[in-house]
Amino acid sequence: MRTLGVDLSASPPRTAAVVIDWSAGRATVRTPLLGCTDEQLLKLLSGLGEADQAGVDCPFGWPAAFVAAMSSHAGPRPTWPGRDAEGADDLRAMRYRRTDLVVAPHAPRLPLSVSFDKLGAVAARWARLQALLEHLGHPVDRVGAGPVAEVYPAAARHQWGLTLGSVDEVRAAAPWLDIPEEARRLLATSRDAYDALIAALVARAIKARLTTWPTADEAELARTEGWIHFPGRDTLRHLAAPTDLPSAG
């Protein structure tokens, strides 16, 4: 099987992709692709096989409360959402998705807001790519039930204890991972490529059911807002042979 990790940016120069080939007890990292265009990403994502999995570092949707507020504001007689119990505008619900709040305790920091920060430009690029994938016959399930799922490398690094953010640290933590010299050089010099590598590793965890999924109560929001998949602690070293592994959480 193959896993694909994509570190998406608002434009190609800061967008990277990494493919990992998996076999019995081993995995090999292909040379990272830097400066990925929409056409390259569409080819990679639409070419995933039944056994493959992709992890994309980008919000797959916006907070439901933010979408509702923008819809209300766009009308000929603009309205604005009500206030919370303390009389203040409930901006938190418009700023963060449910999945952002779920992942926060498992990450070094709260994810950026897709509605109130520059991250919205990245999400807009992904929204276009998702629409094009749908047109090509490759729909994306925002919960992550299909071959493409949303990931957050910072949370994965936190869960796996990768505090240095270096490719050598990953090699030490996952000795079964083969990284050819050209790939290692690019991973060591490009933060975008490094994050794409982490996303590709999380994609393997998703396939092994070692990431956190929404509860029944969270699933409806996740279908529109998206859902960040983050792995369980101490799962990285087991990914090459995912049997009898620690659970996600």
Side-chain angles (χ1 to χ4, degrees):
M1 70 166 291
R2 294 176 302 155
T3 59
L4 166 66
V6 176
D7 180 49
L8 194 70
S9 184
S11 59
R14 291 296 309 276
T15 299
V18 168
V19 172
I20 302 177
D21 295 306
W22 301 82
S23 57
R26 303 295 299 178
T28 301
V29 179
R30 297 187 193 177
T31 302
L33 302 174
L34 305 180
C36 294
T37 64
D38 288 359
E39 290 73 21
Q40 288 176 303
L41 294 176
L42 287 172
K43 184 177 180 179
L44 288 168
L45 292 166
S46 63
L48 294 170
E50 186 176 344
D52 300 333
Q53 180 69 50
V56 180
D57 179 16
C58 173
F60 280 14
W62 282 262
F66 174 77
V67 174
M70 293 301 99
S71 179
S72 297
H73 180 68
R77 295 184 177 179
T79 60
W80 195 246
R83 297 172 179 267
D84 62 19
E86 292 162 351
D89 286 335
D90 192 9
L91 295 181
R92 184 177 176 85
M94 287 185 276
R95 183 185 294 271
Y96 297 113
R97 303 172 298 159
R98 174 60 183 162
T99 188
D100 298 329
L101 301 178
V102 169
V103 78
H106 307 277
R109 58 188 176 276
L110 192 65
L112 292 174
S113 167
V114 64
S115 51
F116 282 32
D117 290 312
K118 292 182 179 180
L119 186 61
V122 185
R125 185 183 181 196
W126 173 252
R128 178 177 180 274
L129 287 169
Q130 182 177 332
L132 290 171
L133 285 168
E134 178 81 31
H135 179 72
L136 293 171
H138 301 279
V140 174
D141 181 285
R142 295 184 196 180
V143 180
V148 181
E150 179 182 343
V151 301
Y152 181 34
R157 294 196 306 270
H158 184 78
Q159 289 288 88
W160 287 335
L162 301 176
T163 58
L164 301 179
S166 72
V167 63
D168 290 335
E169 182 184 37
V170 174
R171 295 178 88 173
W176 41 261
L177 187 63
D178 295 323
I179 307 178
E181 181 54 31
E182 176 63 12
R184 192 206 67 77
R185 183 183 65 80
L186 291 175
L187 290 166
T189 56
S190 168
R191 185 66 184 191
D192 305 322
Y194 174 81
D195 280 346
L197 170 66
I198 299 299
L201 290 169
V202 178
R204 173 71 167 185
I206 294 169
K207 202 68 174 179
R209 305 294 292 189
L210 294 172
T211 57
T212 296
W213 291 76
T215 65
D217 291 339
E218 294 164 338
E220 183 175 356
L221 270 180
R223 279 191 284 271
T224 57
E225 292 187 341
W227 185 261
I228 297 170
H229 283 261
F230 62 94
R233 291 186 178 274
D234 197 33
T235 55
L236 174 60
R237 62 190 179 96
H238 299 287
L239 289 184
T243 57
D244 300 324
L245 301 182
S247 62

